[in-house]
Amino acid sequence: MPEMLSLRINGATVRVANGTSVSAAMLIAGQPTRISVTGEPRGPVCGMGICFECRAIVNGMPHQRTCQLLCEEGMTVETNR
Ligand code: FES
């Protein structure tokens, strides 16, 4: 199992340690997980699957709770707009 892996977040390649959650990777990348209906950038709040603030598009699937997902090699992640 590789110690580091690469994924794409909003088009940029990000390298993170194996075992990093997708929400943490988005924070590392400085990217919001979603944009609110009023246009505000949002990010993870609870980190345990309850608040849904960390929803993003993961491998083309919208509204994925990124705090509940671990990064995988080659994963693509986009801010949920
Ligand atoms: S941070 Fe609250 S559900 Fe993911």
Side-chain angles (χ1 to χ4, degrees):
M1 188 177 297
E3 287 187 26
M4 299 293 288
L5 44 81
S6 298
L7 64 158
R8 303 273 294 173
I9 298 179
N10 288 336
T13 299
V14 178
R15 283 182 56 78
V16 297
N18 195 4
T20 301
S21 69
V22 176
S23 60
M26 293 191 84
L27 288 171
I28 291 168
Q31 297 295 311
T33 54
R34 69 183 190 92
I35 303 297
S36 74
V37 292
T38 57
E40 298 171 349
R42 305 303 298 244
V45 175
C46 73
M48 58 184 185
I50 294 173
C51 72
F52 285 69
E53 291 292 341
C54 65
R55 287 173 290 151
I57 303 167
V58 179
N59 292 335
M61 299 275 293
H63 304 294
Q64 301 300 300
R65 288 176 292 169
T66 57
C67 71
Q68 300 299 296
L69 297 173
L70 294 179
C71 294
E72 296 175 1
E73 181 66 34
M75 181 180 261
T76 61
V77 184
E78 301 164 72
T79 297
N80 216 85
R81 298 180 188 277

